[in-house]
Amino acid sequence: MRSVAVVGTGLIGTSIALALRGRGIVPHLLDADPEAARLAAGLGAGVVGAPRVPVDLAVLAVPPQHIATVLREQQLRGLAQDFTDVSSVKVRPQREAAELGCDLARFVGGHPMAGRERSGPLAARGDLFHDRPWVLTPAEGTGERAVERARSLAELCGARPVVMETARHDRAVALVSHAPHLVASLLAARLLNGEESHLELAGQGLRDATRIAAGDAGLWTDILSSNAAAVAEVLTEVALELNAAVAALRDLAVAPPAHGPTGRAHLNDVLARGVRGRALIQGRTDLSLSGAAAVP
Amino acid sequence: MRSVAVVGTGLIGTSIALALRGRGIVPHLLDADPEAARLAAGLGAGVVGAPRVPVDLAVLAVPPQHIATVLREQQLRGLAQDFTDVSSVKVRPQREAAELGCDLARFVGGHPMAGRERSGPLAARGDLFHDRPWVLTPAEGTGERAVERARSLAELCGARPVVMETARHDRAVALVSHAPHLVASLLAARLLNGEESHLELAGQGLRDATRIAAGDAGLWTDILSSNAAAVAEVLTEVALELNAAVAALRDLAVAPPAHGPTGRAHLNDVLARGVRGRALIQGRTDLSLSGAAAVP
């Protein structure tokens, strides 16, 4: 793969372009906002504007709701031979692209599992994808060349390509990313009702638990809407457990702890399962943070 | 204040003792488990066993459910002239201590706002409380000397003493610590139902959002049970909002986004409030973490 175009020079698009520049490829940069494309070019991410002949691969780095329309438009325009995207939802854009009559032999879904809570080209980093999974979701009819080029893209960015079926991908990210994001937002939103003296007691534990809630609200509305069924499934289970925990706490609030063994046992079960669940994703990145204070 | 005893040589008790050793005080270390006290002494935190004459201040570093009984026992024994505790709940222990007939003129509630998700004396650090708030909750009838000694203790540990009414303290920690802990546990518990290929996509965002869920389940059962009413109040609001968000997602799952402006507007409102709430606790500690990856 020798030539690439990036459509959408936000955080992810610009980070990909910067990574490619580090590997000797000069991407063509396009954005609905010409200023964003110029800004990315100014950061050394490539050259502004479409190529004169189709590039090998175009990366659609736009929100999930716009993938299908941008793919259709750029295929008609002949921007690239093959296309991939980077959005965090795969089923709905793939279906919408089919409905719009896109050439799906020349498109493969992609999702680099990296990001930051800041957005825009100024937050971009060429090493953002280093050693991160980069999911590829070839569907029935996806051409081999498109898959291979998207795989090369992932590798050029230092990521680990992982092939996954579209619906499985969407269920996975609902569990590990989309549902946690909404829950973190709900927790953070509660702080708007807190008195100032309450917030002065906030520590690193709360900051970590709500950090992802700082992400762009518009983009996340789009992500959650596009993966609504899978996210609703995870959150329905969380809601059932939360309602049960609230009931247990209300029991304990009226009865002294010694008389509330059922409520205590219920809470202990939830907390113990939380400890076990957390252990499943204990990563090496935790080690460097182990000195951070959690506030009991 | 010249002499101190620490009852309970877990993470917090041992960390306090280590901080005092750094300021020239050699604490007396007591623990229901003699091995834990010896371990703390072996770490240089003080000397094992009760003093021959009452010390100035005894620090009760035991779970909230045991504060009143340990206070009663150690007052009868004459361990110290004044007492304080370090537990994260203040109303119920204070009430239980009154019911047990403790001398409440010689006791003031305390809560250093620091901790780690690891527990036990081996996780202790003398600088754990450095520049952290240390809440003191004098009640009607609390003696001035007890308050001053607890204030000295906080300052010797490098913390910032903050005086707060007991019920206000409990509402504050329900909001910024106890409710978030339970929610993080519910999120982490969901991972037990995830397939292995799902968990491979977990990134730093999820690790941060669930880090506090790794805390000791038994201790947290005690904390949540002891502050059940205040925690239930916060979580009831979270549950209402979560149920509404799930309903919005279910609407969006059956209708295309273009036809679901109400559901989208609802999600956007939740997410935007989350961004604003998170901004209220943006701390300097975030800066060093700003490069950590959030996975959209």
Side-chain angles (χ1 to χ4, degrees):
Chain A
M1 190 178 60
R2 297 161 70 177
S3 56
V4 173
V6 172
V7 183
T9 54
L11 166 69
I12 301 295
T14 306
S15 292
I16 289 172
L18 287 171
L20 293 174
R21 278 304 304 272
R23 304 297 296 264
I25 292 174
V26 182
H28 291 266
L29 307 173
L30 293 82
D31 198 289
D33 173 9
E35 186 53 43
R38 278 196 294 272
L39 193 53
L43 296 168
V47 296
V48 175
R52 267 170 295 183
V53 295
V55 292
D56 293 341
L57 182 70
V59 183
L60 308 182
V62 300
Q65 214 190 342
H66 300 297
I67 297 294
T69 49
V70 173
L71 177 61
R72 175 70 174 155
E73 174 191 337
Q74 297 297 346
Q75 283 192 329
L76 287 174
R77 172 187 197 170
L79 176 67
Q81 293 173 346
D82 293 303
F83 293 80
T84 187
D85 77 328
V86 297
S87 87
S88 70
V89 183
K90 302 268 77 82
V91 171
R92 180 170 271 178
Q94 182 83 23
R95 191 179 66 218
E96 290 172 345
E99 288 165 0
L100 285 184
C102 296
D103 180 356
L104 291 178
R106 296 167 180 260
F107 170 75
V108 61
H111 181 202
M113 302 299 298
R116 303 183 66 180
E117 62 275 26
R118 294 167 57 199
S119 56
L122 288 172
R125 298 161 41 143
D127 64 353
L128 189 63
F129 311 104
H130 189 78
D131 207 30
R132 300 290 313 153
W134 187 309
V135 181
L136 299 176
T137 57
E140 206 181 344
T142 306
E144 195 54 40
R145 191 184 63 187
V147 177
E148 282 316 308
R149 283 174 170 171
R151 187 190 298 272
S152 293
L153 175 73
E155 288 169 350
L156 285 168
C157 291
R160 293 181 282 110
V162 176
V163 172
M164 198 177 269
E165 192 264 326
T166 52
R168 176 184 290 264
H169 166 276
D170 283 8
R171 287 196 304 272
V173 291
L175 179 71
V176 304
S177 171
H178 301 174
H181 190 102
L182 188 61
V183 169
S185 297
L186 292 175
L187 272 183
R190 277 296 99 212
L191 302 176
L192 295 172
N193 297 64
E195 301 170 32
E196 193 172 324
S197 67
H198 290 186
L199 299 185
E200 278 167 18
L201 302 188
Q204 193 58 38
L206 181 65
R207 288 203 183 88
D208 283 356
T210 57
R211 185 174 60 78
I212 50 179
D216 182 77
L219 173 62
W220 277 94
T221 299
D222 197 3
I223 290 171
L224 295 174
S225 301
S226 299
N227 198 23
V231 178
E233 194 172 326
V234 176
L235 290 181
T236 297
E237 297 296 320
V238 174
L240 284 171
E241 291 232 43
L242 178 57
N243 292 337
V246 170
L249 286 164
R250 293 212 173 276
D251 283 351
L252 286 163
V254 291
H259 298 131
T262 313
R264 278 182 72 87
H266 182 91
L267 291 180
N268 193 253
D269 175 63
V270 169
L271 294 164
R273 282 188 290 124
V275 170
R276 293 208 310 281
R278 181 57 173 73
L280 295 177
I281 55 163
Q282 186 78 20
R284 61 191 160 71
T285 38
D286 286 317
L287 298 176
S288 62
L289 295 171
S290 63
V295 178
Chain B
M1 188 178 60
R2 298 160 71 177
S3 55
V4 173
V6 172
V7 183
T9 54
L11 166 69
I12 301 296
T14 305
S15 292
I16 290 173
L18 287 171
L20 293 174
R21 277 303 306 272
R23 304 297 297 263
I25 292 174
V26 181
H28 292 265
L29 307 173
L30 292 83
D31 198 289
D33 172 9
E35 187 51 44
R38 277 196 295 272
L39 192 53
L43 296 169
V47 296
V48 175
R52 270 169 294 186
V53 295
V55 291
D56 293 341
L57 183 69
V59 183
L60 309 182
V62 300
Q65 213 189 345
H66 302 296
I67 298 292
T69 49
V70 172
L71 176 61
R72 175 71 174 155
E73 174 191 338
Q74 296 297 348
Q75 283 191 329
L76 288 173
R77 173 189 196 169
L79 175 68
Q81 293 174 345
D82 292 303
F83 293 80
T84 188
D85 77 329
V86 298
S87 86
S88 69
V89 184
K90 302 268 76 82
V91 172
R92 181 171 269 177
Q94 183 83 21
R95 191 180 65 220
E96 290 173 345
E99 288 165 0
L100 284 183
C102 296
D103 180 355
L104 291 179
R106 295 166 182 263
F107 171 75
V108 61
H111 181 201
M113 303 299 299
R116 304 182 67 181
E117 61 276 25
R118 294 168 56 197
S119 56
L122 288 172
R125 297 161 44 144
D127 64 354
L128 189 63
F129 312 104
H130 188 77
D131 207 30
R132 299 291 311 154
W134 186 309
V135 182
L136 300 175
T137 57
E140 206 181 346
T142 305
E144 195 53 42
R145 191 185 63 188
V147 177
E148 281 316 309
R149 284 174 170 172
R151 187 189 297 272
S152 293
L153 174 73
E155 288 169 349
L156 286 167
C157 290
R160 292 182 281 110
V162 177
V163 172
M164 198 177 270
E165 192 263 325
T166 53
R168 176 183 289 265
H169 167 275
D170 283 7
R171 285 195 305 272
V173 292
L175 179 70
V176 304
S177 171
H178 301 174
H181 190 101
L182 188 61
V183 170
S185 297
L186 292 176
L187 272 183
R190 277 296 96 212
L191 302 177
L192 295 172
N193 297 64
E195 299 170 33
E196 195 173 321
S197 66
H198 290 185
L199 299 184
E200 278 167 18
L201 302 188
Q204 193 58 37
L206 181 64
R207 289 202 181 90
D208 283 357
T210 57
R211 184 174 61 77
I212 51 179
D216 183 79
L219 172 63
W220 277 94
T221 299
D222 198 2
I223 290 171
L224 295 174
S225 301
S226 299
N227 198 22
V231 178
E233 195 171 326
V234 176
L235 289 182
T236 296
E237 297 297 321
V238 175
L240 284 171
E241 291 231 41
L242 179 56
N243 293 337
V246 169
L249 286 164
R250 292 212 174 278
D251 283 350
L252 286 164
V254 292
H259 299 129
T262 313
R264 279 182 71 90
H266 182 91
L267 292 180
N268 193 254
D269 175 64
V270 169
L271 294 163
R273 282 189 290 124
V275 170
R276 292 208 310 278
R278 181 58 173 72
L280 296 177
I281 55 164
Q282 186 78 21
R284 61 190 161 72
T285 38
D286 285 316
L287 298 177
S288 62
L289 295 171
S290 63
V295 178

